Amino acid sequence: MDGGTALAKILTVGERSFKKEIDKLLLGEGDNFHGEGILAITKALLQSGITYVGGYPGAPMSHLIDVLADASEEILQPMGIHFEQSASEAGAASLLSASISYPIRGAVTWKSVVGTNVASDALSNLASSGVTGGSLIILGDDYGEGSSIMQERTYTFAMKSSIPLIDPRYNLGRIVELTELAFDLSEACSMPIFLNMRIRACHLTGNFVTKDNKIGRYNANNPVPEQNYDVEKIVLPPATYQHEKAKFDDRLPAARLFAKENGFNEHFPGDGSHYGIVTQGGTHTVVLRALRRMGMADAYGNTDVPLLCLNLVYPLIPEEIETFLSDKDHILVVEEGNPNYIETQIAEIAQRCKIGCAIHGKDMLPMAGEYVSNVVREGVAKFLTEVLPEGKESSAAKAETAIENERAVAQSNIAEPMPPRPPSFCTGCPERPIMAALKLLMKERGKFHISMDIGCNLFGSLPPFNVGNTVLGYGLSLASSGAIGPSLDQPNVAIMGDGGFWHNGLTSGVINARWNEYDSVLIILDNGYAAATGQHLLPSSGSTPRGLQSLVTIESALKGIGIKWIKYVDSYSLIESKNVIAEA
């Protein structure tokens, strides 16, 4: 690989200010906080005595990183809190190693499944060694209609590595309380904790009464007196066998006990009927909305239907499940996503305890897809129609029939299906001309395979450009083209943004291609920041998130590994862009 590289130097963007958000982080004992869920989480971290915090920005977690970056001088430094916007989720997860041997608390954050995939090596080792200080991983769940990623759940990873998973009910006070308790839970069971914040939870608005911010016992202004060495925490045999045994003999039982004693899960007994509904914390509100529409709950969420809200969704607490099932003939488990892990575990608990309660779930609700209001309402209506004595004559069944009739009438007024609205480039986006240049070049020399990357460039795969063929991960476009070029007897052509380049593209892409001597053309769209996550700074932006000067450049990184053919173009110059790509 000689390193055909076209870089598009693009635009600068206006400054953003988070002054109002920072003021809310300074609220003290007894003050009233009003704002979004993600900012409430940020305040909860400061109230929990953390010593360090970091993460990789990505919706819906970007705001936490933004605010803390701006709050470094005013809040974090005086409290001795180390903050960093990590170069990747793996870097963020690695921060938590500070809590393995030392009684210091820390938190990291990233975008749900895709971030957890990147961080998985660090997380598996962290879960094996265990922690001394409270460690919290805040995940921005990006599942369903608002998602920009593949549809998967974090639950699988929590089970695999025995990491407790909190899915809080949508109430700002409850979310803050569970965030603070998560650090205590972590220290009680010696494990890191997942806190799953769905998009709607991040952006809901509410109130809670604040506490004073708490300075950690040890911090940058009061360091740990001496280093600690404990060979049993090193992830090597024979310690790894002891770690695995400790997870199931000690850690998970300790997590269950702490959660039970501190009321993580919530039981709403209703009228004591012989049926009930089990919800995740994140689906509790949508179930109440469904009951409200069927006339079985009021506007404040009061209902006669017995409900068990699981804010700790892993591990489950068998005693609580057994108690809820003991006087029920039927229950409905409202578990978003698949596989149906919670429903399966509840059925196992019922079988082991010899409880004659029918467990419903995915037989009433869709196996996959987001549980939005109408989806849950239809499933709950089906369940209630089956378990209520009146059946189809019940008020719930009649209400559902009326809703369906209204929908049918409304649907009849739409002549044809609504057109799909896939994501697209913003008007004036500097990446548009590159896609146009590629399309023009294909007219001249025939179509060629283009490996795309995560980020705005991926929109080039959609109409009207249709120039991208595959995508496998952030910064992986060049790496994913390795076997494609020879198979098609043409150079590899890969596109990535500057965000993808610094995240994984330099090592997994460029160095891998250089080492394996790819015949490649790499187009790096360099606009000076991570556009897709909301204008976040990068190593080559010229400064750090805290405003310190940075001299790292893409060109110097490429030259450092021997790439000689590097050309810069202004992407708005369509002809020049096309000619340079053709030359490459």
Side-chain angles (χ1 to χ4, degrees):
M1 171 186 174
D2 254 353
T5 308
L7 303 177
K9 279 286 195 186
I10 308 177
L11 56 123
T12 57
V13 183
E15 292 292 323
R16 299 170 300 168
S17 172
F18 296 99
K19 172 63 176 161
K20 291 182 180 179
E21 285 84 351
I22 292 172
D23 288 344
K24 292 179 181 180
L25 298 181
L26 290 168
L27 293 174
E29 184 70 35
D31 290 334
N32 184 58
F33 175 103
H34 178 77
E36 284 192 310
I38 188 58
L39 190 62
I41 288 283
T42 311
K43 172 60 174 163
L45 296 180
L46 297 176
Q47 294 178 175
S48 299
I50 60 170
T51 298
Y52 62 94
V53 60
Y56 190 83
M61 308 312 299
S62 303
H63 201 54
L64 190 153
I65 300 294
D66 294 332
V67 174
L68 287 177
D70 277 13
S72 290
E73 187 172 342
E74 189 172 351
I75 298 178
L76 303 187
Q77 290 177 15
M79 294 180 68
I81 297 173
H82 170 79
F83 164 76
E84 70 175 55
Q85 178 184 314
S86 306
S88 72
E89 296 87 352
S94 298
L95 282 176
L96 295 170
S97 69
S99 294
I100 292 175
S101 299
Y102 304 103
I104 58 177
R105 291 181 166 185
V108 294
T109 184
W110 54 71
K111 178 189 184 83
S112 191
V113 173
V114 286
T116 305
N117 288 345
V118 174
S120 59
D121 199 13
L123 290 177
S124 291
N125 282 277
L126 181 72
S128 184
S129 62
V131 298
T132 301
S135 304
L136 185 61
I137 302 148
I138 307 167
L139 305 172
D141 194 4
D142 198 11
Y143 182 86
E145 66 179 12
S147 176
S148 62
I149 61 170
M150 79 293 284
Q151 298 294 276
E152 293 183 358
R153 301 172 67 191
T154 304
Y155 204 99
T156 306
F157 199 99
M159 294 182 72
K160 175 189 76 69
S161 294
S162 302
I163 298 177
L165 173 59
I166 298 172
D167 184 0
R169 177 168 62 88
Y170 288 7
N171 174 281
L172 226 56
R174 189 64 174 141
I175 290 173
V176 169
E177 181 184 15
L178 287 168
T179 302
E180 295 174 345
L181 280 171
F183 287 99
D184 297 323
L185 172 63
S186 176
E187 290 165 356
C189 68
S190 301
M191 288 292 285
I193 307 297
F194 281 140
L195 177 65
N196 196 30
M197 285 292 288
R198 300 159 187 251
I199 290 177
R200 287 176 174 80
C202 287
H203 297 308
L204 71 86
T205 301
N207 297 70
F208 73 93
V209 178
T210 62
K211 302 175 185 176
D212 289 333
N213 291 338
K214 181 181 177 182
I215 296 176
R217 177 184 173 191
Y218 298 115
N219 55 71
N221 301 327
N222 181 39
V224 177
E226 59 182 357
Q227 69 89 20
N228 181 54
Y229 175 76
D230 183 356
V231 70
E232 292 187 359
K233 288 188 176 293
I234 302 299
V235 186
L236 283 173
T240 49
Y241 312 133
Q242 298 166 1
H243 297 166
E244 182 71 3
K245 194 171 186 298
K247 286 180 181 179
F248 299 98
D249 288 354
D250 303 318
R251 298 178 190 175
L252 288 177
R256 291 189 181 98
L257 180 62
F258 183 89
K260 182 180 178 182
E261 291 179 345
N262 289 273
F264 270 58
N265 299 325
E266 300 169 275
H267 179 208
F268 304 93
D271 64 0
S273 298
H274 293 289
Y275 62 88
I277 300 176
V278 178
T279 75
Q280 299 163 270
T283 60
H284 179 78
T285 307
V286 75
V287 169
L288 290 178
R289 171 62 177 163
L291 294 171
R292 160 81 168 154
R293 293 208 68 192
M294 289 182 288
M296 300 192 70
D298 63 22
Y300 300 98
N302 300 308
T303 177
D304 288 337
V305 178
L307 300 174
L308 178 61
C309 176
L310 302 176
N311 293 305
L312 180 68
V313 291
Y314 182 79
L316 298 183
I317 303 173
E319 302 93 321
E320 293 183 349
I321 303 295
E322 182 182 356
T323 299
F324 187 72
L325 298 182
S326 61
D327 61 349
K328 305 287 189 300
D329 297 323
H330 298 267
I331 67 157
L332 175 68
V333 181
V334 182
E335 177 182 4
E336 185 177 60
N338 66 89
N340 50 339
Y341 294 119
I342 297 174
E343 179 188 345
T344 302
Q345 290 176 83
I346 290 176
E348 181 187 5
I349 292 169
Q351 191 274 333
R352 285 188 178 185
C353 297
K354 296 180 172 58
I355 299 174
C357 175
I359 313 298
H360 301 278
K362 297 300 185 183
D363 56 333
M364 303 275 181
L365 290 153
M367 177 61 81
E370 186 177 13
Y371 280 6
V372 293
S373 181
N374 64 307
V375 169
V376 174
R377 192 201 70 245
E378 291 168 9
V380 171
K382 185 177 180 180
F383 171 72
L384 292 175
T385 300
E386 180 168 319
V387 302
L388 292 175
E390 306 93 331
K392 293 184 178 181
E393 297 303 315
S394 66
S395 59
K398 290 179 179 178
E400 177 62 16
T401 300
I403 292 170
E404 288 299 319
N405 289 338
E406 290 174 6
R407 184 167 66 176
V409 171
Q411 191 70 38
S412 67
N413 293 316
I414 302 176
E416 56 187 38
M418 297 294 288
R421 295 185 62 190
S424 180
F425 292 110
C426 297
T427 302
C429 175
E431 297 186 9
R432 278 179 175 267
I434 295 294
M435 306 305 161
L438 287 165
K439 194 158 190 174
L440 290 172
L441 192 58
M442 285 184 181
K443 283 189 174 183
E444 293 182 5
R445 59 172 290 157
K447 290 188 176 181
F448 46 88
H449 185 105
I450 299 178
S451 299
M452 305 296 277
D453 214 273
I454 298 297
C456 295
N457 69 87
L458 189 53
F459 299 153
S461 300
L462 302 174
F465 301 106
N466 304 106
V467 295
N469 298 79
T470 53
V471 60
L472 280 184
Y474 202 21
L476 298 181
S477 58
L478 184 55
S480 69
S481 70
I484 294 171
S487 300
L488 299 178
D489 191 27
Q490 62 180 12
N492 305 318
V493 180
I495 298 177
M496 69 177 69
D498 45 355
F501 176 83
W502 290 116
H503 182 274
N504 209 3
L506 175 60
T507 51
S508 296
V510 179
I511 292 176
N512 179 64
R514 178 70 172 157
W515 186 36
N516 286 288
E517 297 184 345
Y518 285 9
D519 181 14
S520 301
V521 176
L522 173 62
I523 302 171
I524 302 175
L525 302 170
D526 176 18
N527 59 4
Y529 63 96
T533 64
Q535 192 198 326
H536 290 96
L537 296 178
L538 301 166
S540 55
S541 295
S543 67
T544 70
R546 290 181 292 172
L548 304 176
Q549 186 178 12
S550 172
L551 301 178
V552 180
T553 68
I554 292 175
E555 184 177 12
S556 61
L558 292 171
K559 287 182 176 179
I561 57 172
I563 307 298
K564 299 176 180 177
W565 198 97
I566 302 173
K567 295 287 182 73
Y568 285 86
V569 295
D570 180 349
S571 69
Y572 285 119
S573 176
L574 179 59
I575 299 303
E576 184 183 2
S577 298
K578 174 177 166 292
N579 291 340
V580 168
I581 295 172
E583 182 186 354

